[in-house]
Amino acid sequence: MHRPSLFSGSDAQMATGDLGELLVPYLPTIRVPKSGDRVYKTECAFSYDSPDSEGGLYVCMNTFLGFGREHIERHYRKTGQCVYLHLKRHVREKVPGASGGALPKRRNAKLFLDLETNSDLNTDDFEYEDEAKLVIFPDHYEISLPNIEELPALVTIACDAFLGAKSPYRKQDPDSWEEELQASKHAKTLVQLDNGVRIPPSGWKCSKCDLRENLWLNLTDGSVLCGRWFFDGSGGNAHAIEHYKETGYPLAVKLGTITPDGADVYSFDEEEPVLDPHIAKHLAHFGIDMLQMQVTENGLRDNDIKPRVSEWEVIQEAGMKLKPMYGPGYTGLKNLGNSCYLNAVMQAIFSIPEFQRAYVGNLPRIFDYSPLDPTQDFNTQMAKLGHGLLSGQYSKPPMKSELIEQVMKEEHKPQHNGISPQMFKAFISKGHPEFSSNRQQDAQEFFLHLINLVERNPVGSENPSDVFRFLVEERTQCCQSRKVRYTERVDYIMQLPVAMEAATNKDELIAYELKRREAEAARRPPPELVRAKIPFSACLQAFSEPNNVEDFWSSALQAKSAGVKTSRFASFPEYLVVQIKKFTFGLDWIPKKLDVSIDMPDFLDISHLRARGLQPGEEELPDMAPPIIIPDDPKVEIRHLYLRRSFLVALDIDESSVMQLAEMGFPLEACRKAVYYTGNLGAEVAFNWIIAHMEEPDFAEPLVTPAFGEAASSGAAVFGAVGLDNQPPEEMVSIIISMGFQRNLAIQALKATNNNLERALEWIFSHPEFEQESEPALDMVDMENNANANILAETGSEGPRIKDGSGRYELFGFISHMGTSTMSGHYVCHLKKEGRWVIYNDLKVCASERPPKDLGYIYFYRRIPS
């Protein structure tokens, strides 16, 4: 129900003499933010309302959470908190004759230090005015600020702390090596000389010493000068610094770092790296178009390539007049600094009806049942983001009649186009060493990270990530005995190798490579790019071909041998995600990208890749694992090994390490096992585990983690199923006896640990008094362990959730990457909506004219109904 007094304030003002008395009952609920507290004064927890919005933002004086007009009542009803700080920014037309041409004034500037200005406004014509009020619920009394004389001291201190609080998204770890760059104080007022200087796309050198590396472009006069000398002999002769001391021109940009995402800027006056919000304008003054820039491996600029060749131009459809799209489903996402990978993935995710229904369709229920801190709830933040993208509330076309009306009035109502996923990114990247940084990331890695979070946070009876899940059947055959083993694993992405040997333009590629090397040696601009053309059929064929598994252990031969493995679909998902494995590693382990063109089909039929299971005439490999190698000093080595393995029982898997390994092309389940069994010691240690175990037939089988204090069932699996009487297998007893322990001790330890070899050894070392333990106590242990085993059996009987069906699909979206590796570059998403292709390039959402379907990195297909 709308309450006029809540937002007008005209009838709810209190006499100044009553203010102190009015606030006294609420003083116990008012808190003063301390250092480290997060004050959300720029964004609503449930929507993208801010102080810029028409209704402003209400910040709870107890929880420090912000709420828009539509959601403040919900928080009041749920928590009973009555006192809120209402923040509102007004944008008004400047009074004629007031500081013509100057930047807009900011009255009460300390109120919203973290609130960005609207870049769409002409700053010569408009100015900002910030307003703050205290609002008391449920009667909606308003107290204008500042009102220091009449307010209790606690309230005054709290208000001051609220208004001066730093952004809640600022890095909290003071030891973090990656500092948050601040905008330079010179950026807005930088004077650039109109001296006709134009910077060429390549061939730069210092104007004083002819050095060709570590070069800096002064943004005032266009001088190209070398940087300072470094202790390792690299760098330059510090001519750029000398130039600043002579001229006082403060800002310079490092040549070789300019991309469409930004550039490295240094302030000589402030003596630190800085941000330049106007870098595109400053570079354009010297003839540099940021959208045409990309980094090459030798540091040269690649913007002299002919039109429609550079992937930066082709993928972003640069140079074309693209029509902006507005309305529901056409909302852009702000780039928070190398967050385009997140933007592209989330646009694709929320174009899928199952995700729309799960989060936006259930939005009222999710919001009503959200925890007291909704900023830390996955489903709430997913629903918030989905509503922001799909509602159309933040994607409205400019109306001519509205513009005329705004000009005639004093107050300007800013147009809200696009949303900033800052709160969403802060939550889902929390604790992740890569996604929590401002560095560029792999979109495929983020997709898997997101699916993992969706799996762990169910929103209803059906999990929307089920639409991506499918079963892979892996057939491993011993080359010597010809016997086979069939296993199944769960996956979410079909990874297609790039069949470079199948390129249809090999002669052109060889000629181009020769010219490129000659140009690089002579430091000339590279020749016109020739991109390898790979048939999609060749990539699909490479996926289906057998892979050699050399030196794997054959249970038929009881020895190591050679084998081959083929993969087929045991089920087809509702939505098929196809990743082109463009990224690889060079000899120096630096990730590189294969710049190829693949003729991806609009309609895909992979029915021929359906798994067939054990065929007539095939003989299965015996179900046994390689023997356990006993060390020379078993009591010492085995104890050290198994005590460490027991630590893994309740270990949380480091998903960042898992994703780093998955990016290299290893199966996801194998990566999880590698990280788990190496105790979260990092990707490098886990990589060594993969190399040592990748020949094993169960290499890519799902990891089975323990529950209820139960160890993983690997020990029992080695020797077959456990009997109903829980009698230890004789093979296990013999192994423990061979380590020097007594038979009765071996049997007692195995019975106490449900016949798990690893835990039995740990039990022996931790129970030296076993002879004195009573038989009833051991019976109780047996009962508990058997109960746990039954629970595990019941939970595992359901199997993985799959949505099997036809293997025929239609392309509806793809994510493209520009740049040389996953550590740099830019991501863009194309989606097919309402019969036409649309490009989502961060905040820019436009109708696509030439969707570059051959240059994609991740493709999204939907099943064609039978």
Side-chain angles (χ1 to χ4, degrees):
M1 180 177 177
H2 180 65
R3 297 174 181 258
S5 61
L6 171 58
F7 304 114
S8 65
S10 57
D11 300 326
Q13 298 287 350
M14 293 291 296
T16 56
D18 300 330
L19 296 182
E21 183 178 346
L22 176 67
L23 287 167
V24 167
Y26 306 108
L27 291 182
T29 67
I30 297 177
R31 297 171 54 213
V32 178
K34 305 184 186 67
S35 176
D37 285 338
R38 297 177 181 269
V39 179
Y40 294 91
K41 64 176 184 178
T42 60
E43 181 181 353
C44 173
F46 293 107
S47 71
Y48 292 92
D49 287 346
S50 71
D52 269 326
S53 303
E54 184 176 354
L57 191 73
Y58 295 81
V59 184
C60 176
M61 298 288 283
N62 180 269
T63 64
F64 311 147
L65 297 172
F67 302 95
R69 173 188 291 182
E70 295 180 5
H71 303 284
I72 181 64
E73 293 278 1
R74 175 188 291 106
H75 184 260
Y76 165 70
R77 291 194 306 267
K78 182 179 290 188
T79 65
Q81 298 299 328
C82 298
V83 184
Y84 295 85
L85 184 65
H86 181 247
L87 306 176
K88 179 73 177 80
R89 165 164 290 180
H90 303 276
V91 183
R92 292 191 173 91
E93 198 173 5
K94 283 185 178 179
V95 179
S99 61
L103 292 175
K105 296 178 182 178
R106 294 190 58 190
R107 307 172 194 172
N108 305 331
K110 73 174 183 177
L111 294 186
F112 308 126
L113 290 176
D114 297 316
L115 197 63
E116 295 184 356
T117 59
N118 192 333
S119 59
D120 295 332
L121 297 183
N122 185 338
T123 56
D124 292 339
D125 300 327
F126 296 93
E127 64 182 356
Y128 302 114
E129 181 177 352
D130 297 339
E131 179 184 30
K133 297 178 182 178
L134 284 177
V135 180
I136 303 176
F137 281 67
D139 298 321
H140 312 296
Y141 288 122
E142 294 183 357
I143 304 172
S144 298
L145 297 176
N147 208 332
I148 300 175
E149 294 81 3
E150 303 297 332
L151 294 178
L154 173 65
V155 178
T156 301
I157 295 172
C159 290
D160 189 59
F162 269 77
L163 300 178
K166 295 184 180 298
S167 167
Y169 310 112
R170 190 181 302 273
K171 286 187 175 293
Q172 299 295 311
D173 183 5
D175 298 325
S176 175
W177 66 269
E178 184 179 8
E179 296 182 1
E180 188 171 346
L181 299 182
Q182 301 298 318
S184 171
K185 64 182 181 181
H186 301 288
K188 290 184 178 180
T189 58
L190 184 71
V191 176
Q192 294 186 282
L193 302 183
D194 191 11
N195 53 13
V197 173
R198 291 294 179 268
I199 304 301
S202 60
W204 315 302
K205 62 180 180 179
C206 176
S207 60
K208 293 188 177 181
C209 65
D210 292 341
L211 277 179
R212 294 180 178 269
E213 61 181 14
N214 192 23
L215 298 177
W216 294 79
L217 168 67
N218 191 287
L219 291 176
T220 296
D221 63 359
S223 300
V224 176
L225 299 159
C226 61
R228 67 183 73 205
W229 179 85
F230 300 121
F231 69 93
D232 61 355
S234 63
N237 298 314
H239 287 139
I241 300 176
E242 292 180 6
H243 184 69
Y244 161 70
K245 293 178 179 178
E246 295 171 0
T247 62
Y249 300 155
L251 298 183
V253 60
K254 187 173 184 179
L255 295 174
T257 67
I258 304 171
T259 71
D261 289 329
D264 293 348
V265 180
Y266 188 83
S267 171
F268 297 110
D269 177 48
E270 296 159 284
E271 296 184 340
E272 62 179 353
V274 295
L275 293 177
D276 181 359
H278 308 283
I279 185 64
K281 172 186 174 183
H282 293 156
L283 291 172
H285 181 81
F286 299 110
I288 301 176
D289 185 350
M290 287 179 63
L291 286 180
Q292 308 298 322
M293 303 299 290
Q294 65 168 316
V295 182
T296 59
E297 292 181 12
N298 60 6
L300 297 176
R301 310 270 39 89
D302 218 10
N303 65 338
D304 58 331
I305 298 175
K306 293 183 179 180
R308 303 297 303 165
V309 174
S310 165
E311 65 176 357
W312 289 88
E313 298 173 283
V314 177
I315 291 176
Q316 296 186 105
E317 304 186 53
M320 294 185 178
K321 293 183 178 180
L322 301 180
K323 178 184 177 182
M325 304 288 286
Y326 300 99
Y330 299 105
T331 304
L333 286 166
K334 180 184 177 182
N335 193 322
L336 305 174
N338 288 326
S339 65
C340 51
Y341 66 91
L342 179 148
N343 295 349
V345 170
M346 298 315 299
Q347 292 284 10
I349 286 292
F350 276 111
S351 69
I352 296 174
E354 283 77 2
F355 279 85
Q356 296 174 1
R357 290 195 297 267
Y359 295 105
V360 183
N362 288 322
L363 184 140
R365 183 177 66 84
I366 293 174
F367 283 2
D368 287 341
Y369 290 95
S370 64
L372 292 180
D373 186 358
T375 68
Q376 301 303 305
D377 180 62
F378 177 76
N379 291 330
T380 299
Q381 293 308 310
M382 281 287 284
K384 169 184 172 179
L385 180 64
H387 180 264
L389 293 176
L390 301 175
S391 65
Q393 185 175 343
Y394 307 98
S395 178
K396 298 178 180 179
M399 302 294 292
K400 292 183 179 180
S401 58
E402 291 181 3
L403 293 175
I404 295 173
E405 183 181 355
Q406 290 169 8
V407 171
M408 298 298 293
K409 292 184 177 180
E410 178 186 357
E411 179 152 357
H412 175 85
K413 295 181 180 179
Q415 196 73 41
H416 292 282
N417 278 331
I419 57 180
S420 173
Q422 202 163 22
M423 187 178 292
F424 177 78
K425 181 179 185 296
F427 173 72
I428 64 169
S429 64
K430 183 175 59 177
H432 195 289
E434 291 300 324
F435 298 138
S436 61
S437 73
N438 289 328
R439 298 185 292 273
Q440 185 61 278
Q441 305 298 330
D442 185 2
Q444 179 255 5
E445 181 180 337
F446 176 75
F447 172 80
L448 291 176
H449 175 68
L450 178 73
I451 294 302
N452 183 38
L453 291 175
V454 173
E455 291 278 353
R456 288 159 51 186
N457 296 273
V459 71
S461 58
E462 289 193 12
N463 198 311
S465 63
D466 291 353
V467 300
F468 297 125
R469 186 187 295 105
F470 59 92
L471 290 177
V472 177
E473 178 193 85
E474 292 190 335
R475 176 186 182 272
T476 306
Q477 183 175 33
C478 173
C479 294
Q480 200 165 339
S481 69
R482 311 303 297 173
K483 295 182 179 181
V484 298
R485 173 179 289 115
Y486 285 87
T487 57
E488 287 187 349
R489 61 178 174 85
V490 174
D491 214 331
Y492 297 89
I493 294 182
M494 180 186 187
Q495 294 183 314
L496 282 186
V498 178
M500 291 296 294
E501 68 281 356
T504 59
N505 57 340
K506 292 181 180 178
D507 293 338
E508 296 178 53
L509 292 171
I510 294 173
Y512 165 76
E513 183 62 21
L514 291 175
K515 293 179 181 179
R516 188 191 67 79
R517 292 181 180 180
E518 292 174 359
E520 183 177 342
R523 300 199 64 81
R524 297 195 308 267
E528 180 178 331
L529 178 67
V530 176
R531 187 174 286 114
K533 297 179 180 179
I534 312 294
F536 173 77
S537 57
C539 298
L540 200 60
Q541 179 66 27
F543 170 84
S544 61
E545 288 179 351
N547 295 318
N548 290 326
V549 185
E550 297 179 0
D551 198 33
F552 89 107
W553 192 84
S554 171
S555 59
L557 304 175
Q558 293 288 300
K560 288 190 174 182
S561 178
V564 292
K565 180 182 291 185
T566 54
S567 298
R568 293 291 186 271
F569 285 84
S571 69
F572 290 122
E574 189 77 17
Y575 289 83
L576 179 66
V577 182
V578 180
Q579 176 200 12
I580 305 299
K581 297 171 67 175
K582 292 185 174 184
F583 296 104
T584 181
F585 286 86
L587 297 177
D588 51 4
W589 281 93
I590 295 178
K592 299 179 183 297
K593 178 181 168 184
L594 302 175
D595 190 4
V596 296
S597 170
I598 301 177
D599 58 336
M600 296 296 293
D602 288 316
F603 297 93
L604 174 63
D605 190 347
I606 56 173
S607 301
H608 64 286
L609 295 178
R610 167 78 74 171
R612 297 177 297 173
L614 187 68
Q615 295 298 296
E618 290 184 334
E619 185 178 353
E620 289 189 274
L621 285 163
D623 188 13
M624 61 178 62
I628 298 177
I629 300 175
I630 306 300
D632 295 335
D633 190 0
K635 286 192 176 182
V636 176
E637 294 296 329
I638 292 295
R639 179 175 185 178
H640 172 76
L641 171 63
Y642 287 133
L643 286 180
R644 184 176 182 278
R645 287 288 293 274
S646 67
F647 154 74
L648 298 174
V649 169
L651 186 68
D652 289 330
I653 298 176
D654 179 11
E655 293 296 335
S656 64
S657 298
V658 173
M659 296 310 173
Q660 289 181 50
L661 296 170
E663 181 184 343
M664 300 179 188
F666 300 115
L668 179 62
E669 289 298 336
C671 299
R672 292 176 61 82
K673 289 164 69 174
V675 174
Y676 182 85
Y677 287 122
T678 54
N680 280 349
L681 295 179
E684 184 176 352
V685 178
F687 175 79
N688 294 332
W689 187 95
I690 287 179
I691 297 301
H693 294 79
M694 64 190 308
E695 295 89 358
E696 297 177 0
D698 61 345
F699 173 65
E701 290 185 358
L703 170 67
V704 179
T705 55
F708 302 102
E710 186 75 6
S713 58
S714 58
V718 171
F719 302 98
V722 178
L724 292 177
D725 58 353
N726 199 28
Q727 195 62 30
E730 189 60 34
E731 296 91 338
M732 285 187 176
V733 176
S734 300
I735 286 181
I736 297 179
I737 292 175
S738 70
M739 298 178 186
F741 301 108
Q742 297 297 319
R743 178 179 178 82
N744 62 336
L745 174 59
I747 294 175
Q748 199 165 349
L750 287 167
K751 292 182 71 174
T753 57
N754 202 25
N755 295 332
N756 186 286
L757 180 61
E758 297 174 3
R759 290 199 61 206
L761 289 165
E762 177 191 354
W763 187 92
I764 290 174
F765 290 115
S766 60
H767 293 77
E769 72 287 355
F770 75 97
E771 292 181 353
Q772 287 74 34
E773 293 211 4
S774 64
E775 197 66 29
L778 289 178
D779 290 341
M780 181 61 68
V781 172
D782 289 345
M783 292 175 58
E784 292 176 356
N785 284 316
N786 285 330
N788 292 343
N790 292 333
I791 293 173
L792 288 174
E794 291 175 5
T795 57
S797 62
E798 299 177 1
R801 304 180 308 274
I802 58 173
K803 293 179 177 290
D804 197 8
S806 166
R808 298 173 61 246
Y809 294 91
E810 179 182 4
L811 181 69
F812 74 92
F814 60 95
I815 294 173
S816 307
H817 174 268
M818 297 153 278
T820 56
S821 79
T822 55
M823 298 185 298
S824 62
H826 184 58
Y827 285 97
V828 166
C829 179
H830 283 77
L831 296 172
K832 195 172 186 179
K833 292 191 174 183
E834 300 177 330
R836 71 175 304 167
W837 285 96
V838 180
I839 178 174
Y840 293 81
N841 188 357
D842 290 335
L843 282 173
K844 299 177 183 177
V845 180
C846 301
S848 173
E849 295 294 333
R850 297 182 189 176
K853 290 181 284 188
D854 59 322
L855 299 182
Y857 173 47
I858 301 175
Y859 293 85
F860 294 84
Y861 285 86
R862 68 166 59 92
R863 179 184 289 145
I864 300 175
S866 301

